[in-house]
Amino acid sequence: MSKWKELALEVLNGHVISKEEALEILNSSDMDLLEVLQGAYVIRHHYYGNKVKLNMLINTKSGLCPENCGYCSQSSISNAPIEKYRMVDKDTILKGAEQAYQLNAGTYCIVASGRGPSNHEVDQVVSAVKEIKDKYQLKVCACLGILKPEQAAMLKEAGVDRYNHNLNTSENHHDFITTSHTYQDRVDTVEVIKEAGISPCSGVIVGMKETKEDLVNVAMSLRVLDADSIPVNFLHAIDGTPLEGTKELNPRYCLKVLALMRYVNPTKEIRISGGREVNLGSLQPLGLYAANSIFVGDYLTTSGQATTADHQMLEDLGFEVDFVKETVQ
Ligand code: SF4
């Protein structure tokens, strides 16, 4: 038995991965890649079988953000030629929900740019979510930025199941990425979400000039934060953003990062998110041996691959869409 499979079995027996073991995953040689992934798959399969959860997102408000996140095409310092618009109307949000339902996406993510939502924007989302919950058995995830406790309570009351607010990177690397809010602001929002009884979703963006140690640290911070869902984005550097031209990742390393997230956060929903197609390339299917969830459709300001290609990939892998029409516990 490979040492990685042994480690995976230890994880299933309650072993908590140490920093050294986590770093070893990222430093493992490409020769060991399939064994590292096999271990990740042993863990993934134990908790999720061969099921894959699909998420679909709508960008309800684009650009016009005062923050300065270096990876983001919607920030105040980005020159990327993206579409900019204020929050879309309720009908548009509902149409997106219908599309998510048709695509067998179990979760519909309502995303808006900005530091945090105005009360008026929260009201708009609340009204849309109530109607979505009446019409479809979809889980709804909101991602609206830094949230106040009273806003979180309103979203919970409306039926929002989950709220996404990424840590993005390690505490140490955070100021390299943005200075308009702090790492602690991000942690605090995740705590506000938990306090409101909403399932916390918080993840990372890989490939922003962080060190391997940064990645291990953020994986461990997510473990401490107890995020139920961990989206793993791989930087798709957009021209016009400060990170323009950054291309540090290769598909094998991306797979090791997904494996790291699985070994460190064994029971959690690990989702391959933005940058999947660009960074994993032809190795995309292997990512699902560690992760158990993907986005279908487009991302915030970039396109995803055709949904039919995603469904074909799952069929080829012998994996099944986990389309349980229920609400998050
Ligand atoms: S990531 Fe969010 S907060 Fe940061 S610039 Fe983009 S839209 Fe604004």
Side-chain angles (χ1 to χ4, degrees):
M1 191 189 303
S2 78
K3 78 170 192 183
W4 299 106
K5 190 168 176 188
E6 261 175 45
L7 184 62
L9 294 175
E10 280 175 37
V11 167
L12 291 183
N13 276 326
H15 172 69
V16 175
I17 293 283
S18 68
K19 201 165 166 175
E20 291 66 38
E21 287 168 328
L23 270 173
E24 224 187 309
I25 295 170
L26 292 183
N27 283 325
S28 60
S29 87
D30 289 348
M31 279 282 289
D32 287 347
L33 179 56
L34 290 180
E35 289 177 354
V36 170
L37 273 182
Q38 186 199 20
Y41 181 52
V42 165
I43 303 170
R44 178 245 202 264
H45 191 270
H46 180 83
Y47 293 107
Y48 295 98
N50 274 353
K51 301 267 185 188
V52 178
K53 291 176 192 282
L54 304 183
N55 281 35
M56 194 200 100
L57 69 78
I58 179 172
N59 199 10
T60 63
K61 180 182 163 199
S62 180
L64 312 166
C65 181
E67 302 295 288
N68 66 1
C69 307
Y71 54 84
C72 180
S73 58
Q74 308 187 70
S75 80
S76 60
I77 55 167
S78 155
N79 300 315
I82 57 158
E83 217 186 329
K84 296 178 183 167
Y85 48 85
R86 305 211 163 273
M87 190 169 268
V88 298
D89 59 20
K90 184 158 90 173
D91 277 355
T92 309
I93 301 178
L94 290 173
K95 254 188 227 145
E98 190 185 344
Q99 196 194 347
Y101 195 76
Q102 281 163 357
L103 287 177
N104 278 347
T107 304
Y108 180 48
C109 307
I110 300 174
V111 184
S113 62
R115 178 180 171 87
S118 66
N119 288 341
H120 177 64
E121 286 165 347
V122 171
D123 286 343
Q124 278 176 278
V125 172
V126 160
S127 158
V129 171
K130 284 186 175 159
E131 213 165 313
I132 291 167
K133 286 291 186 178
D134 279 349
K135 283 194 174 158
Y136 310 103
Q137 287 171 282
L138 281 171
K139 289 179 190 167
V140 174
C141 177
C143 175
L144 313 172
I146 293 173
L147 207 60
K148 298 182 188 128
E150 56 278 16
Q151 294 176 324
M154 287 171 70
L155 293 174
K156 169 73 184 169
E157 165 75 23
V160 168
D161 300 286
R162 184 163 274 174
Y163 193 92
N164 165 263
H165 198 63
N166 291 335
L167 290 186
N168 286 333
T169 192
S170 72
E171 182 168 15
N172 196 36
H173 193 55
H174 183 270
D175 290 357
F176 174 78
I177 302 303
T178 180
T179 52
S180 53
H181 56 266
T182 63
Y183 178 85
Q184 192 58 44
D185 287 332
R186 291 196 163 264
V187 171
D188 289 348
T189 286
V190 179
E191 294 297 352
V192 163
I193 298 159
K194 284 160 66 176
E195 196 62 31
I198 299 176
S199 165
C201 169
S202 187
V204 297
I205 305 176
V206 185
M208 300 195 294
K209 304 191 178 179
E210 71 282 345
T211 62
K212 287 175 181 161
E213 196 163 347
D214 285 319
L215 264 183
V216 165
N217 285 342
V218 68
M220 297 202 158
S221 299
L222 290 167
R223 180 165 79 196
V224 172
L225 213 47
D226 205 16
D228 292 332
S229 161
I230 303 180
V232 181
N233 297 278
F234 297 102
L235 182 70
H236 177 182
I238 297 170
D239 288 351
T241 63
L243 286 170
E244 172 178 347
T246 309
K247 181 82 182 84
E248 310 190 307
L249 304 174
N250 67 58
R252 281 112 41 226
Y253 183 69
C254 294
L255 291 173
K256 289 171 199 170
V257 172
L258 290 168
L260 162 81
M261 291 297 164
R262 175 58 68 203
Y263 281 86
V264 174
N265 296 283
T267 63
K268 305 302 186 176
E269 197 172 303
I270 310 278
R271 175 164 34 265
I272 317 175
S273 300
R276 163 164 64 101
E277 296 85 348
V278 175
N279 287 290
L280 281 158
S282 60
L283 299 192
Q284 277 185 69
L286 294 178
L288 280 167
Y289 287 109
N292 65 301
S293 173
I294 54 171
F295 272 105
V296 287
D298 293 336
Y299 302 106
L300 290 175
T301 62
T302 56
S303 306
Q305 73 184 11
T307 309
T308 41
D310 288 331
H311 284 279
Q312 186 63 52
M313 174 173 79
L314 301 186
E315 198 183 315
D316 292 349
L317 284 163
F319 285 6
E320 259 178 74
V321 175
D322 186 1
F323 188 30
V324 273
K325 296 174 179 172
E326 30 118 286
T327 47
V328 168
Q329 299 301 310

